[in-house]
Amino acid sequence: MGGTYDVIIIGGGPGGLAAAIYAGRAQRKTLLIEKGNYGGRVNDTVEIRNYPSVVSESGAGLMERFREHAQSYATNEFKRTTVIGLEKLENGNFLVHTKRRGDFESNCVILDMGTKPRSLGIPGETEFTGHGVAYCATCDAEFFKGKNIYVLGAGDQAIEEADYLTGFASSVTVIVLHEEGHLDCNEVAAETAFHNPKIKFIWNSTLQEIKGNASVESLVIKNVVTNTSTEVKADGIFFFVGMVPQTDFVKDLVECDGKGYIKVNEKKETSVPGIYAVGDCTQTFLRQVVTSASDGAIAATASERYVKEKKQLDAILSPDSGKVAFLFYNPYDNAQIEAVTKMELRLKDQYRVIRQDITRQTLLYQQLGLTASPACAYYENGKLTNLEK
Ligand SMILES: Cc1cc2nc3c(=O)[nH]c(=O)nc-3n(C[C@H](O)[C@H](O)[C@H](O)COP(=O)(O)OP(=O)(O)OC[C@H]3O[C@@H](n4cnc5c(N)ncnc54)[C@H](O)[C@@H]3O)c2cc1C
């Protein structure tokens, strides 16, 4: 398939795959681009127990079913490459630049780039990544069979993963910034960890340096209360100190918060009409498979309406379209229905009059910055000549 796509989805996590399922069912010409494994971050979890209808399954197993479903539509195309840029073209379409597969044009774009583990830039962290420094227990636990390892962090992920790692390592020591007994994770995880004989804690402390030769051999741990540093022998260290959104290539295009999460509204619209964002890479309250999938469904549906409406408007407002008047009204307000009926009667001899129900046809209303109805926008040969608010 070539040519312009109806929609390009960047990222194939649960959000992107759910969007592809909805786009596929609507028979839209869809391209999903994924730089790694289809299924995203949840591939890293051994067991998922909170996706409705799934009592227990591996993260990778559940995502395989998402992928199969999304790929079952003839109009859906999947490509493996990294997206490195996104630009808005003069015709209102978008151009997606990829690292290895060239550029692709689309009527709209759904962003689902998710997050990646935060790195702290501690001396030795980059040098020993993959050689004792790790960020994913499921991916790397078996490299640490019978070893003495450390975990940095005290949240849900850190404590749950520390417990998981004890299935492989001989001892897991958790470095915690807080005073003794205080963790940031849920109660169940904390109790499980406190009762696990293979888990030890170092309180009031942080990691200062990672040392070794070919791989990690020791860690320098600093007690933040006494301000003293101690060097301990270690075969590895797992970092679970939060996630950061993978939004670098869109940061200058769509509005993001201070941490780089993309700001979206209830339709998953970003600050740029035609660009939608879903799941973990957005500013949102809960980052889970079910919420990302739900976002994907919303963005796919909203973006389909956007493209349809944009194509209709482009056709109405062509350079030789003559005089056109758009009447904006709320159909649930009788007074507004009466008002636009009168306006239509007054204008119809001079203008082609087009009514815009502002509860459904939001594109032009938003583009004109309108906040109340009734309102009227006058055009001549595609150019705005007057706006009555
Ligand atoms: C260890 C762990 C355990 C978890 N356990 C659970 C659980 O039990 N239940 C639950 O509901 N959730 C769980 N989660 C959270 C869940 O994984 C996420 O909320 C979910 O995966 C988010 O989906 P997403 O589609 O928003 O993003 P992601 O899953 O992060 O997918 C984003 C995708 O975009 C791709 N991508 C990024 N940038 C680019 C680019 N430039 N070009 C192309 N592709 C790109 C990435 O490779 C990735 O595949 C867990 C997460 C982790 C890490």
Side-chain angles (χ1 to χ4, degrees), residues 352-383:
R352 179 181 171 201
V353 177
I354 307 212
R355 287 192 185 205
Q356 295 277 287
D357 166 353
I358 62 154
T359 62
R360 292 188 305 113
Q361 294 155 301
T362 51
L363 185 56
L364 192 57
Y365 187 74
Q366 280 176 354
Q367 270 176 10
L368 292 169
L370 293 170
T371 49
S373 59
C376 185
Y378 300 89
Y379 286 84
E380 198 164 337
N381 292 329
K383 296 244 168 358

PDB file of all heavy atoms in Angstrom, residues 352-383:
ATOM      1  N   ARG A 352     -24.647  30.508   0.013  1.00  0.00           N
ATOM      2  CA  ARG A 352     -24.947  29.093   0.222  1.00  0.00           C
ATOM      3  C   ARG A 352     -24.866  28.914   1.739  1.00  0.00           C
ATOM      4  O   ARG A 352     -23.802  29.126   2.340  1.00  0.00           O
ATOM      5  CB  ARG A 352     -23.890  28.233  -0.476  1.00  0.00           C
ATOM      6  CG  ARG A 352     -24.121  26.767  -0.276  1.00  0.00           C
ATOM      7  CD  ARG A 352     -23.039  25.954  -0.950  1.00  0.00           C
ATOM      8  NE  ARG A 352     -23.171  24.559  -0.546  1.00  0.00           N
ATOM      9  CZ  ARG A 352     -22.212  23.680  -0.622  1.00  0.00           C
ATOM     10  NH1 ARG A 352     -21.032  24.017  -1.097  1.00  0.00           N
ATOM     11  NH2 ARG A 352     -22.429  22.433  -0.232  1.00  0.00           N
ATOM     12  N   VAL A 353     -26.001  28.585   2.371  1.00  0.00           N
ATOM     13  CA  VAL A 353     -26.026  28.548   3.833  1.00  0.00           C
ATOM     14  C   VAL A 353     -25.808  27.109   4.323  1.00  0.00           C
ATOM     15  O   VAL A 353     -26.464  26.179   3.861  1.00  0.00           O
ATOM     16  CB  VAL A 353     -27.368  29.093   4.376  1.00  0.00           C
ATOM     17  CG1 VAL A 353     -27.415  28.989   5.897  1.00  0.00           C
ATOM     18  CG2 VAL A 353     -27.567  30.537   3.937  1.00  0.00           C
ATOM     19  N   ILE A 354     -24.866  26.952   5.258  1.00  0.00           N
ATOM     20  CA  ILE A 354     -24.575  25.620   5.810  1.00  0.00           C
ATOM     21  C   ILE A 354     -24.705  25.686   7.325  1.00  0.00           C
ATOM     22  O   ILE A 354     -24.033  26.480   7.983  1.00  0.00           O
ATOM     23  CB  ILE A 354     -23.153  25.165   5.428  1.00  0.00           C
ATOM     24  CG1 ILE A 354     -23.034  25.292   3.925  1.00  0.00           C
ATOM     25  CG2 ILE A 354     -22.855  23.772   5.979  1.00  0.00           C
ATOM     26  CD1 ILE A 354     -22.226  24.401   3.170  1.00  0.00           C
ATOM     27  N   ARG A 355     -25.578  24.854   7.853  1.00  0.00           N
ATOM     28  CA  ARG A 355     -25.767  24.827   9.305  1.00  0.00           C
ATOM     29  C   ARG A 355     -24.703  23.938   9.956  1.00  0.00           C
ATOM     30  O   ARG A 355     -24.346  22.896   9.415  1.00  0.00           O
ATOM     31  CB  ARG A 355     -27.146  24.249   9.644  1.00  0.00           C
ATOM     32  CG  ARG A 355     -28.283  25.202   9.340  1.00  0.00           C
ATOM     33  CD  ARG A 355     -29.547  24.675   9.975  1.00  0.00           C
ATOM     34  NE  ARG A 355     -30.693  25.505   9.616  1.00  0.00           N
ATOM     35  CZ  ARG A 355     -31.774  25.596  10.365  1.00  0.00           C
ATOM     36  NH1 ARG A 355     -31.878  24.908  11.499  1.00  0.00           N
ATOM     37  NH2 ARG A 355     -32.780  26.350   9.986  1.00  0.00           N
ATOM     38  N   GLN A 356     -24.234  24.340  11.112  1.00  0.00           N
ATOM     39  CA  GLN A 356     -23.242  23.554  11.860  1.00  0.00           C
ATOM     40  C   GLN A 356     -23.780  23.288  13.267  1.00  0.00           C
ATOM     41  O   GLN A 356     -23.878  24.218  14.083  1.00  0.00           O
ATOM     42  CB  GLN A 356     -21.920  24.323  11.963  1.00  0.00           C
ATOM     43  CG  GLN A 356     -21.219  24.547  10.641  1.00  0.00           C
ATOM     44  CD  GLN A 356     -20.394  23.343  10.225  1.00  0.00           C
ATOM     45  OE1 GLN A 356     -19.348  23.080  10.788  1.00  0.00           O
ATOM     46  NE2 GLN A 356     -20.890  22.587   9.249  1.00  0.00           N
ATOM     47  N   ASP A 357     -24.146  22.030  13.517  1.00  0.00           N
ATOM     48  CA  ASP A 357     -24.601  21.605  14.841  1.00  0.00           C
ATOM     49  C   ASP A 357     -23.357  21.526  15.741  1.00  0.00           C
ATOM     50  O   ASP A 357     -22.512  20.643  15.564  1.00  0.00           O
ATOM     51  CB  ASP A 357     -25.275  20.228  14.676  1.00  0.00           C
ATOM     52  CG  ASP A 357     -25.498  19.513  15.989  1.00  0.00           C
ATOM     53  OD1 ASP A 357     -25.032  20.002  17.033  1.00  0.00           O
ATOM     54  OD2 ASP A 357     -26.126  18.440  15.964  1.00  0.00           O
ATOM     55  N   ILE A 358     -23.226  22.456  16.667  1.00  0.00           N
ATOM     56  CA  ILE A 358     -21.959  22.544  17.436  1.00  0.00           C
ATOM     57  C   ILE A 358     -21.753  21.404  18.425  1.00  0.00           C
ATOM     58  O   ILE A 358     -20.677  21.272  19.013  1.00  0.00           O
ATOM     59  CB  ILE A 358     -21.819  23.894  18.173  1.00  0.00           C
ATOM     60  CG1 ILE A 358     -22.937  24.058  19.197  1.00  0.00           C
ATOM     61  CG2 ILE A 358     -21.751  25.060  17.216  1.00  0.00           C
ATOM     62  CD1 ILE A 358     -22.552  24.975  20.326  1.00  0.00           C
ATOM     63  N   THR A 359     -22.753  20.538  18.599  1.00  0.00           N
ATOM     64  CA  THR A 359     -22.538  19.383  19.474  1.00  0.00           C
ATOM     65  C   THR A 359     -21.865  18.249  18.685  1.00  0.00           C
ATOM     66  O   THR A 359     -21.328  17.315  19.266  1.00  0.00           O
ATOM     67  CB  THR A 359     -23.864  18.863  20.079  1.00  0.00           C
ATOM     68  OG1 THR A 359     -24.725  18.427  19.015  1.00  0.00           O
ATOM     69  CG2 THR A 359     -24.546  19.928  20.903  1.00  0.00           C
ATOM     70  N   ARG A 360     -21.902  18.323  17.347  1.00  0.00           N
ATOM     71  CA  ARG A 360     -21.276  17.265  16.542  1.00  0.00           C
ATOM     72  C   ARG A 360     -20.203  17.815  15.602  1.00  0.00           C
ATOM     73  O   ARG A 360     -19.162  17.209  15.408  1.00  0.00           O
ATOM     74  CB  ARG A 360     -22.335  16.526  15.705  1.00  0.00           C
ATOM     75  CG  ARG A 360     -23.318  15.703  16.518  1.00  0.00           C
ATOM     76  CD  ARG A 360     -24.208  14.864  15.623  1.00  0.00           C
ATOM     77  NE  ARG A 360     -24.900  15.678  14.625  1.00  0.00           N
ATOM     78  CZ  ARG A 360     -24.670  15.603  13.315  1.00  0.00           C
ATOM     79  NH1 ARG A 360     -23.795  14.765  12.840  1.00  0.00           N
ATOM     80  NH2 ARG A 360     -25.330  16.384  12.472  1.00  0.00           N
ATOM     81  N   GLN A 361     -20.502  18.976  14.992  1.00  0.00           N
ATOM     82  CA  GLN A 361     -19.565  19.523  13.991  1.00  0.00           C
ATOM     83  C   GLN A 361     -18.710  20.602  14.659  1.00  0.00           C
ATOM     84  O   GLN A 361     -19.027  21.780  14.631  1.00  0.00           O
ATOM     85  CB  GLN A 361     -20.361  20.088  12.812  1.00  0.00           C
ATOM     86  CG  GLN A 361     -21.095  18.989  12.063  1.00  0.00           C
ATOM     87  CD  GLN A 361     -22.308  19.519  11.319  1.00  0.00           C
ATOM     88  OE1 GLN A 361     -23.210  20.085  11.913  1.00  0.00           O
ATOM     89  NE2 GLN A 361     -22.329  19.327  10.014  1.00  0.00           N
ATOM     90  N   THR A 362     -17.628  20.150  15.250  1.00  0.00           N
ATOM     91  CA  THR A 362     -16.846  21.050  16.116  1.00  0.00           C
ATOM     92  C   THR A 362     -15.632  21.672  15.430  1.00  0.00           C
ATOM     93  O   THR A 362     -15.055  22.619  15.949  1.00  0.00           O
ATOM     94  CB  THR A 362     -16.357  20.280  17.357  1.00  0.00           C
ATOM     95  OG1 THR A 362     -15.728  19.082  16.905  1.00  0.00           O
ATOM     96  CG2 THR A 362     -17.488  19.940  18.294  1.00  0.00           C
ATOM     97  N   LEU A 363     -15.225  21.126  14.296  1.00  0.00           N
ATOM     98  CA  LEU A 363     -13.936  21.509  13.710  1.00  0.00           C
ATOM     99  C   LEU A 363     -13.847  22.998  13.364  1.00  0.00           C
ATOM    100  O   LEU A 363     -12.961  23.706  13.861  1.00  0.00           O
ATOM    101  CB  LEU A 363     -13.665  20.649  12.469  1.00  0.00           C
ATOM    102  CG  LEU A 363     -12.310  20.849  11.811  1.00  0.00           C
ATOM    103  CD1 LEU A 363     -11.186  20.615  12.800  1.00  0.00           C
ATOM    104  CD2 LEU A 363     -12.158  19.926  10.615  1.00  0.00           C
ATOM    105  N   LEU A 364     -14.772  23.482  12.535  1.00  0.00           N
ATOM    106  CA  LEU A 364     -14.719  24.890  12.127  1.00  0.00           C
ATOM    107  C   LEU A 364     -14.990  25.808  13.323  1.00  0.00           C
ATOM    108  O   LEU A 364     -14.351  26.848  13.487  1.00  0.00           O
ATOM    109  CB  LEU A 364     -15.743  25.141  11.004  1.00  0.00           C
ATOM    110  CG  LEU A 364     -15.625  26.473  10.280  1.00  0.00           C
ATOM    111  CD1 LEU A 364     -14.246  26.665   9.662  1.00  0.00           C
ATOM    112  CD2 LEU A 364     -16.702  26.609   9.198  1.00  0.00           C
ATOM    113  N   TYR A 365     -15.915  25.394  14.172  1.00  0.00           N
ATOM    114  CA  TYR A 365     -16.270  26.143  15.380  1.00  0.00           C
ATOM    115  C   TYR A 365     -15.015  26.386  16.234  1.00  0.00           C
ATOM    116  O   TYR A 365     -14.726  27.500  16.659  1.00  0.00           O
ATOM    117  CB  TYR A 365     -17.312  25.330  16.148  1.00  0.00           C
ATOM    118  CG  TYR A 365     -17.929  26.010  17.345  1.00  0.00           C
ATOM    119  CD1 TYR A 365     -18.862  27.024  17.186  1.00  0.00           C
ATOM    120  CD2 TYR A 365     -17.602  25.611  18.639  1.00  0.00           C
ATOM    121  CE1 TYR A 365     -19.451  27.636  18.293  1.00  0.00           C
ATOM    122  CE2 TYR A 365     -18.179  26.209  19.741  1.00  0.00           C
ATOM    123  CZ  TYR A 365     -19.102  27.226  19.566  1.00  0.00           C
ATOM    124  OH  TYR A 365     -19.680  27.823  20.650  1.00  0.00           O
ATOM    125  N   GLN A 366     -14.236  25.307  16.406  1.00  0.00           N
ATOM    126  CA  GLN A 366     -12.999  25.422  17.202  1.00  0.00           C
ATOM    127  C   GLN A 366     -11.949  26.250  16.471  1.00  0.00           C
ATOM    128  O   GLN A 366     -11.285  27.106  17.064  1.00  0.00           O
ATOM    129  CB  GLN A 366     -12.425  24.036  17.487  1.00  0.00           C
ATOM    130  CG  GLN A 366     -13.118  23.327  18.628  1.00  0.00           C
ATOM    131  CD  GLN A 366     -12.588  21.901  18.813  1.00  0.00           C
ATOM    132  OE1 GLN A 366     -11.794  21.402  18.042  1.00  0.00           O
ATOM    133  NE2 GLN A 366     -13.082  21.240  19.844  1.00  0.00           N
ATOM    134  N   GLN A 367     -11.811  25.982  15.168  1.00  0.00           N
ATOM    135  CA  GLN A 367     -10.781  26.700  14.387  1.00  0.00           C
ATOM    136  C   GLN A 367     -11.019  28.207  14.415  1.00  0.00           C
ATOM    137  O   GLN A 367     -10.081  28.993  14.422  1.00  0.00           O
ATOM    138  CB  GLN A 367     -10.818  26.228  12.932  1.00  0.00           C
ATOM    139  CG  GLN A 367      -9.914  25.038  12.675  1.00  0.00           C
ATOM    140  CD  GLN A 367     -10.019  24.516  11.242  1.00  0.00           C
ATOM    141  OE1 GLN A 367     -10.629  25.141  10.383  1.00  0.00           O
ATOM    142  NE2 GLN A 367      -9.441  23.362  11.017  1.00  0.00           N
ATOM    143  N   LEU A 368     -12.300  28.612  14.451  1.00  0.00           N
ATOM    144  CA  LEU A 368     -12.626  30.041  14.463  1.00  0.00           C
ATOM    145  C   LEU A 368     -12.559  30.624  15.875  1.00  0.00           C
ATOM    146  O   LEU A 368     -12.796  31.809  16.073  1.00  0.00           O
ATOM    147  CB  LEU A 368     -14.032  30.256  13.871  1.00  0.00           C
ATOM    148  CG  LEU A 368     -14.154  29.952  12.365  1.00  0.00           C
ATOM    149  CD1 LEU A 368     -15.610  29.928  11.936  1.00  0.00           C
ATOM    150  CD2 LEU A 368     -13.379  30.979  11.541  1.00  0.00           C
ATOM    151  N   GLY A 369     -12.266  29.768  16.845  1.00  0.00           N
ATOM    152  CA  GLY A 369     -12.146  30.226  18.239  1.00  0.00           C
ATOM    153  C   GLY A 369     -13.485  30.627  18.835  1.00  0.00           C
ATOM    154  O   GLY A 369     -13.538  31.434  19.770  1.00  0.00           O
ATOM    155  N   LEU A 370     -14.590  30.063  18.300  1.00  0.00           N
ATOM    156  CA  LEU A 370     -15.915  30.416  18.820  1.00  0.00           C
ATOM    157  C   LEU A 370     -16.158  29.709  20.146  1.00  0.00           C
ATOM    158  O   LEU A 370     -15.717  28.569  20.345  1.00  0.00           O
ATOM    159  CB  LEU A 370     -16.998  30.025  17.813  1.00  0.00           C
ATOM    160  CG  LEU A 370     -16.980  30.832  16.502  1.00  0.00           C
ATOM    161  CD1 LEU A 370     -17.912  30.218  15.472  1.00  0.00           C
ATOM    162  CD2 LEU A 370     -17.381  32.289  16.776  1.00  0.00           C
ATOM    163  N   THR A 371     -16.862  30.381  21.048  1.00  0.00           N
ATOM    164  CA  THR A 371     -17.145  29.776  22.347  1.00  0.00           C
ATOM    165  C   THR A 371     -18.640  29.794  22.655  1.00  0.00           C
ATOM    166  O   THR A 371     -19.075  29.231  23.666  1.00  0.00           O
ATOM    167  CB  THR A 371     -16.393  30.520  23.479  1.00  0.00           C
ATOM    168  OG1 THR A 371     -16.633  31.908  23.326  1.00  0.00           O
ATOM    169  CG2 THR A 371     -14.908  30.234  23.450  1.00  0.00           C
ATOM    170  N   ALA A 372     -19.435  30.476  21.805  1.00  0.00           N
ATOM    171  CA  ALA A 372     -20.878  30.529  22.061  1.00  0.00           C
ATOM    172  C   ALA A 372     -21.630  30.532  20.738  1.00  0.00           C
ATOM    173  O   ALA A 372     -21.100  30.961  19.701  1.00  0.00           O
ATOM    174  CB  ALA A 372     -21.222  31.798  22.851  1.00  0.00           C
ATOM    175  N   SER A 373     -22.868  30.032  20.783  1.00  0.00           N
ATOM    176  CA  SER A 373     -23.727  30.038  19.609  1.00  0.00           C
ATOM    177  C   SER A 373     -25.050  30.733  19.988  1.00  0.00           C
ATOM    178  O   SER A 373     -25.345  30.832  21.189  1.00  0.00           O
ATOM    179  CB  SER A 373     -23.970  28.610  19.131  1.00  0.00           C
ATOM    180  OG  SER A 373     -24.574  27.856  20.170  1.00  0.00           O
ATOM    181  N   PRO A 374     -25.860  31.229  19.015  1.00  0.00           N
ATOM    182  CA  PRO A 374     -25.589  31.140  17.584  1.00  0.00           C
ATOM    183  C   PRO A 374     -24.468  32.088  17.163  1.00  0.00           C
ATOM    184  O   PRO A 374     -24.186  33.095  17.820  1.00  0.00           O
ATOM    185  CB  PRO A 374     -26.924  31.539  16.948  1.00  0.00           C
ATOM    186  CG  PRO A 374     -27.640  32.332  17.986  1.00  0.00           C
ATOM    187  CD  PRO A 374     -27.158  31.864  19.308  1.00  0.00           C
ATOM    188  N   ALA A 375     -23.831  31.717  16.033  1.00  0.00           N
ATOM    189  CA  ALA A 375     -22.789  32.548  15.448  1.00  0.00           C
ATOM    190  C   ALA A 375     -22.804  32.295  13.943  1.00  0.00           C
ATOM    191  O   ALA A 375     -23.381  31.306  13.487  1.00  0.00           O
ATOM    192  CB  ALA A 375     -21.429  32.186  16.032  1.00  0.00           C
ATOM    193  N   CYS A 376     -22.183  33.210  13.214  1.00  0.00           N
ATOM    194  CA  CYS A 376     -22.200  33.053  11.766  1.00  0.00           C
ATOM    195  C   CYS A 376     -20.837  33.433  11.188  1.00  0.00           C
ATOM    196  O   CYS A 376     -20.250  34.445  11.572  1.00  0.00           O
ATOM    197  CB  CYS A 376     -23.309  33.938  11.186  1.00  0.00           C
ATOM    198  SG  CYS A 376     -23.504  33.723   9.431  1.00  0.00           S
ATOM    199  N   ALA A 377     -20.315  32.583  10.265  1.00  0.00           N
ATOM    200  CA  ALA A 377     -19.042  32.882   9.604  1.00  0.00           C
ATOM    201  C   ALA A 377     -19.303  32.994   8.111  1.00  0.00           C
ATOM    202  O   ALA A 377     -19.923  32.105   7.524  1.00  0.00           O
ATOM    203  CB  ALA A 377     -18.037  31.780   9.900  1.00  0.00           C
ATOM    204  N   TYR A 378     -18.825  34.108   7.532  1.00  0.00           N
ATOM    205  CA  TYR A 378     -19.058  34.358   6.101  1.00  0.00           C
ATOM    206  C   TYR A 378     -17.754  34.130   5.324  1.00  0.00           C
ATOM    207  O   TYR A 378     -16.696  34.613   5.729  1.00  0.00           O
ATOM    208  CB  TYR A 378     -19.512  35.807   5.896  1.00  0.00           C
ATOM    209  CG  TYR A 378     -20.793  36.147   6.623  1.00  0.00           C
ATOM    210  CD1 TYR A 378     -20.756  36.623   7.929  1.00  0.00           C
ATOM    211  CD2 TYR A 378     -22.034  35.975   6.015  1.00  0.00           C
ATOM    212  CE1 TYR A 378     -21.921  36.927   8.616  1.00  0.00           C
ATOM    213  CE2 TYR A 378     -23.214  36.283   6.689  1.00  0.00           C
ATOM    214  CZ  TYR A 378     -23.149  36.759   7.991  1.00  0.00           C
ATOM    215  OH  TYR A 378     -24.304  37.054   8.663  1.00  0.00           O
ATOM    216  N   TYR A 379     -17.858  33.419   4.222  1.00  0.00           N
ATOM    217  CA  TYR A 379     -16.683  33.134   3.379  1.00  0.00           C
ATOM    218  C   TYR A 379     -16.944  33.549   1.937  1.00  0.00           C
ATOM    219  O   TYR A 379     -18.093  33.508   1.466  1.00  0.00           O
ATOM    220  CB  TYR A 379     -16.375  31.622   3.397  1.00  0.00           C
ATOM    221  CG  TYR A 379     -15.744  31.142   4.677  1.00  0.00           C
ATOM    222  CD1 TYR A 379     -16.532  30.828   5.782  1.00  0.00           C
ATOM    223  CD2 TYR A 379     -14.363  30.989   4.788  1.00  0.00           C
ATOM    224  CE1 TYR A 379     -15.953  30.383   6.959  1.00  0.00           C
ATOM    225  CE2 TYR A 379     -13.779  30.539   5.962  1.00  0.00           C
ATOM    226  CZ  TYR A 379     -14.576  30.236   7.049  1.00  0.00           C
ATOM    227  OH  TYR A 379     -13.997  29.795   8.212  1.00  0.00           O
ATOM    228  N   GLU A 380     -15.895  33.932   1.248  1.00  0.00           N
ATOM    229  CA  GLU A 380     -16.002  34.152  -0.193  1.00  0.00           C
ATOM    230  C   GLU A 380     -14.823  33.455  -0.861  1.00  0.00           C
ATOM    231  O   GLU A 380     -13.667  33.716  -0.512  1.00  0.00           O
ATOM    232  CB  GLU A 380     -15.992  35.655  -0.504  1.00  0.00           C
ATOM    233  CG  GLU A 380     -16.538  35.893  -1.889  1.00  0.00           C
ATOM    234  CD  GLU A 380     -16.928  37.355  -2.117  1.00  0.00           C
ATOM    235  OE1 GLU A 380     -17.187  38.080  -1.136  1.00  0.00           O
ATOM    236  OE2 GLU A 380     -16.946  37.747  -3.285  1.00  0.00           O
ATOM    237  N   ASN A 381     -15.127  32.554  -1.758  1.00  0.00           N
ATOM    238  CA  ASN A 381     -14.115  31.741  -2.460  1.00  0.00           C
ATOM    239  C   ASN A 381     -13.081  31.157  -1.490  1.00  0.00           C
ATOM    240  O   ASN A 381     -11.877  31.248  -1.700  1.00  0.00           O
ATOM    241  CB  ASN A 381     -13.424  32.575  -3.549  1.00  0.00           C
ATOM    242  CG  ASN A 381     -14.402  32.890  -4.670  1.00  0.00           C
ATOM    243  OD1 ASN A 381     -15.324  32.089  -4.943  1.00  0.00           O
ATOM    244  ND2 ASN A 381     -14.249  34.037  -5.298  1.00  0.00           N
ATOM    245  N   GLY A 382     -13.595  30.615  -0.397  1.00  0.00           N
ATOM    246  CA  GLY A 382     -12.741  29.908   0.559  1.00  0.00           C
ATOM    247  C   GLY A 382     -12.101  30.790   1.609  1.00  0.00           C
ATOM    248  O   GLY A 382     -11.431  30.296   2.519  1.00  0.00           O
ATOM    249  N   LYS A 383     -12.263  32.122   1.520  1.00  0.00           N
ATOM    250  CA  LYS A 383     -11.612  33.043   2.484  1.00  0.00           C
ATOM    251  C   LYS A 383     -12.645  33.620   3.446  1.00  0.00           C
ATOM    252  O   LYS A 383     -13.717  34.061   3.017  1.00  0.00           O
ATOM    253  CB  LYS A 383     -10.926  34.201   1.734  1.00  0.00           C
ATOM    254  CG  LYS A 383      -9.785  33.773   0.834  1.00  0.00           C
ATOM    255  CD  LYS A 383      -8.485  34.385   1.339  1.00  0.00           C
ATOM    256  CE  LYS A 383      -7.219  33.857   0.747  1.00  0.00           C
ATOM    257  NZ  LYS A 383      -7.178  32.807  -0.196  1.00  0.00           N
TER     258      LYS A 383
END
